[in-house]
Amino acid sequence: MNVSAEPDDRFVIGVDFGTLSGRALVVRVRDGAELGTAVHAYRSGVMDSALAADGQPLPADWALQDPDDYREVLRQAVPAALAASGVDAEQVVGIGIDFTACTVLPTRADGTPLCELPDLRTRPHAYVKLWKHHAAQQQADRINALAHERGEPWIGRYGGKISAEWQYAKALQLLEEDPEIYARAERWIEAADWIVWQLCGAETRNVCTAGYKGIRQDGQYPSRDYLAALNPDFAGFVEKIDGPLVALGERAGGLTAAAAAWTGLPAGIAVAVGNVDAHVTAAAAQALEPGRLVAIMGTSTCHVVNGTELAEVAGMCGVVDGGISAGHWGYEAGQSGVGDIFGWYVEQAAPDGYASHETLTEQAAEQPVGAHGLVALDWWNGNRSLLVNHDLSGVIVGLTLATRPPDIYRALLESTAYGTRMIIEAFAEAGVPVDELVVAGGLTGNRLLMQIYADVTNRPLSIIGSAQGPALGSAIHAAVAAGVHADVPTAAAAMGRVTRDAYLPDPERVRAYDALYAEYRRLHDHFGRGGDDVLLRLRSIRNAARSAAVPAPAGEAALPLEVMA
């Protein structure tokens, strides 16, 4: 990078742990200049069809990872980024991390992952369950039904439904499918908190994941009575997740000698408390003010926005006091598939001659709005918000013999914009205003997609000024943890950057999309809100067929087909 370091400059490192790889970024604390970066791909990637340790097949909707892949990012990407920056390691004063969430793993009391114990290497439930592990939907359904039946006060803070992606559904699945692993799991911990534990030698729990994924509201977790009503052996679950709670931007501890050897950084420098990739990006995009909704668009999209008042928003992932930044109520929503949907079409469905994003985007951009005659539902990986149901699946309506590949591709792009508009309107209806859309993530480079979002949402669209939003956000928090900046807003003002109003809605296209969006809403409610449950029935048939063909993972009792469904 064409930025020079001065002898008296101080630097921090942000590490972004994504779905397939981890990225380290060296950042100057006085102005946010990015001096060096490096990426390390996870060796085992996402284990969604077979366990890497022995090749045993995994059931439908599983997604596991190996936690040592995360350590390897520290060993490989951090030293490489430092070398690329030309910065002297002695000038680095802090390190911060962010993670995809809810990505969670069972460990011993000392933080040792259960999958690293020799006798558990071939037990799938001993591994990390990635955010996109969606095999706990039936547990999530029970969690939600019981919460409403009992009138649990926290359920409204999560839009009325706890996701199958969150800590409780995944843990309940673990208990019911491999009770031995559950019993041996002394800690059930977000990967964000676990990797911070690896860095500083002390267990902490960040307020972000504790609130959004751990159902911690008003200083309390769900009651023992409620958990016991789900399953008597689940009564003590909170003991596995309750730990030292630390606010965002605070210092979790100092870098240990072992972690210093991995990273090449000085021992004792500040390690910031962990955070979530989406939430940490708000600071990098200078979008901490209420009304600025940040959409972090990659394989999936997470939407975060600060509000001044507490509101319960139907279908949201959650609202947490200080969940994005201190002094505000932080709201989260999301779409479980965005870039993954576009990638699926290019890799699996587009014919020869069209199988590239560039070709499809160029030809799709030539069309007027509505010319393809299609509407799609963006549920290829289930629905995170507003329906909170990962058994839902994708739909395309309007196909004819005249439909061409760019038509389908554009309809898929538009479907994700409609899903984001549903989220924005739900916020607005609940009294949480969204005045501006700020986009970060790997999809910002697709100009057609960005313009579609501005037109569909009828809002100005700003673009983060960094290609490494989460890593920059983590670096901003590291600068606060190191005491260089007084607080996160101050650090964000100095180190973050954004291009305001990069895309503006076109009134004519806005009107055209209003008509298409109305059709999207009709399909959304028909297939997602009880008009016809055909998508759920098809998923049930698929799961039953796959369960009959794939043996249960090691250590897991075979379940009746009606339960698997």
Side-chain angles (χ1 to χ4, degrees):
M1 296 185 182
N2 298 320
V3 180
S4 60
E6 300 297 330
D8 59 348
D9 274 332
R10 288 175 290 179
F11 301 88
V12 286
I13 293 180
V15 187
D16 169 37
F17 290 87
T19 299
L20 297 173
S21 63
R23 179 183 299 275
L25 180 69
V26 181
V27 181
R28 188 162 59 196
V29 296
R30 63 178 165 88
D31 59 1
E34 301 173 11
L35 279 80
T37 188
V39 179
H40 181 76
Y42 304 146
R43 178 185 56 191
S44 298
V46 178
M47 294 178 280
D48 54 9
S49 58
L51 192 67
D54 63 355
Q56 68 173 284
L58 296 172
D61 300 322
W62 278 55
L64 307 179
Q65 290 194 314
D66 186 333
D68 195 53
D69 286 348
Y70 308 148
R71 293 195 195 95
E72 199 64 19
V73 171
L74 302 177
R75 300 184 188 111
Q76 301 295 330
V78 173
L82 192 63
S85 72
V87 168
D88 187 334
E90 294 301 318
Q91 294 177 273
V92 177
V93 296
I95 184 170
I97 71 94
D98 65 84
F99 237 99
T100 60
C102 171
T103 296
V104 66
L105 67 155
T107 77
R108 297 177 63 175
D110 64 358
T112 302
L114 294 191
C115 64
E116 295 183 353
L117 301 179
D119 62 323
L120 300 181
R121 287 294 293 170
T122 59
R123 299 281 284 275
H125 273 298
Y127 283 77
V128 176
K129 286 183 171 63
L130 184 61
W131 66 268
K132 64 196 298 183
H133 177 94
H134 290 154
Q137 185 62 51
Q138 66 102 348
Q139 283 83 8
D141 292 342
R142 287 164 47 209
I143 287 169
N144 294 324
L146 183 64
H148 286 288
E149 178 185 321
R150 291 169 54 99
E152 294 291 331
W154 43 263
I155 190 66
R157 300 274 181 97
Y158 299 92
K161 289 184 178 181
I162 297 298
S163 171
E165 295 182 1
W166 295 175
Q167 290 181 15
Y168 286 70
K170 288 174 174 173
L172 188 57
Q173 182 199 14
L174 168 60
L175 168 64
E176 295 178 340
E177 296 183 4
D178 199 335
E180 179 192 351
I181 298 292
Y182 180 85
R184 292 177 67 174
E186 294 168 292
R187 311 302 288 152
W188 182 246
I189 187 167
E190 287 282 342
D193 294 326
W194 180 80
I195 202 69
V196 167
W197 195 348
Q198 300 296 294
L199 286 167
C200 70
E203 180 187 3
T204 56
R205 303 285 175 137
N206 72 83
V207 297
C208 181
T209 52
Y212 293 106
K213 321 304 179 187
I215 317 184
R216 188 179 189 276
Q217 293 286 346
D218 301 325
Q220 299 180 62
Y221 293 98
S223 70
R224 188 179 185 91
D225 286 347
Y226 165 78
L227 297 173
L230 284 169
N231 185 313
D233 293 329
F234 204 50
F237 172 65
V238 168
E239 297 168 9
K240 299 179 186 289
I241 64 172
D242 195 14
L245 204 64
V246 186
L248 304 179
E250 294 293 323
R251 179 186 173 111
L255 193 70
T256 66
W262 294 342
T263 59
L265 301 175
I269 65 169
V271 177
V273 68
N275 208 329
V276 178
D277 51 1
H279 302 67
V280 79
T281 302
Q286 296 183 337
L288 297 176
E289 293 182 15
R292 290 178 170 169
L293 183 140
V294 183
I296 298 83
M297 296 178 60
T299 56
S300 63
T301 291
C302 188
H303 309 78
V304 295
V305 63
N306 270 329
T308 57
E309 305 292 338
L310 172 63
E312 294 185 353
V313 187
M316 292 301 101
C317 299
V319 53
V320 175
D321 188 8
I324 299 172
S325 61
H328 294 106
W329 289 95
Y331 294 84
E332 176 190 346
Q335 292 165 273
S336 295
V338 178
D340 271 352
I341 298 176
F342 315 149
W344 163 83
Y345 184 69
V346 169
E347 296 161 15
Q348 304 294 336
D352 291 343
Y354 290 97
S356 79
H357 293 286
E358 294 76 14
T359 297
L360 289 165
T361 297
E362 180 181 354
Q363 295 192 25
E366 297 173 355
Q367 303 179 4
V369 175
H372 51 50
L374 305 175
V375 174
L377 295 177
D378 51 317
W379 300 343
W380 263 245
N381 201 21
N383 179 283
R384 184 183 294 161
S385 302
L386 308 170
L387 302 172
V388 199
N389 190 334
H390 295 287
D391 281 345
L392 293 171
S393 51
V395 173
I396 302 177
V397 173
L399 294 167
T400 73
L401 293 178
T403 302
R404 299 168 58 252
D407 302 340
I408 297 173
Y409 189 74
R410 180 164 183 140
L412 294 175
L413 299 183
E414 292 167 342
S415 75
T416 66
Y418 300 146
T420 288
R421 179 169 169 178
M422 290 283 292
I423 288 166
I424 290 173
E425 291 183 354
F427 277 133
E429 290 167 7
V432 182
V434 174
D435 305 314
E436 176 187 3
L437 186 61
V438 184
V439 179
L443 298 182
T444 56
N446 188 315
R447 296 182 60 83
L448 171 62
L449 181 66
M450 295 300 98
Q451 188 62 56
I452 286 171
Y453 269 67
D455 292 334
V456 167
T457 64
N458 195 21
R459 281 167 173 78
L461 189 149
S462 301
I463 301 291
I464 190 172
S466 170
Q468 321 299 339
L472 177 58
S474 289
I476 287 170
H477 284 71
V480 177
V484 180
H485 289 293
D487 52 37
V488 174
T490 301
M495 300 172 67
R497 48 193 172 275
V498 65
T499 300
R500 299 278 178 215
D501 299 341
Y503 297 86
L504 298 175
D506 174 84
E508 184 176 342
R509 290 194 297 266
V510 168
R511 287 191 293 273
Y513 273 127
D514 282 345
L516 288 168
Y517 176 67
E519 300 304 327
Y520 173 91
R521 287 199 64 139
R522 291 186 183 95
L523 292 172
H524 174 283
D525 292 349
H526 179 73
F527 287 110
R529 288 179 165 150
D532 192 324
D533 290 336
V534 61
L535 302 182
L536 303 182
R537 295 195 298 273
L538 289 173
R539 178 62 63 99
S540 178
I541 291 169
R542 186 206 72 169
N543 286 354
R546 290 190 178 184
S547 298
V550 177
E556 178 184 319
L559 297 177
L561 292 186
E562 64 268 19
V563 175
M564 292 296 292

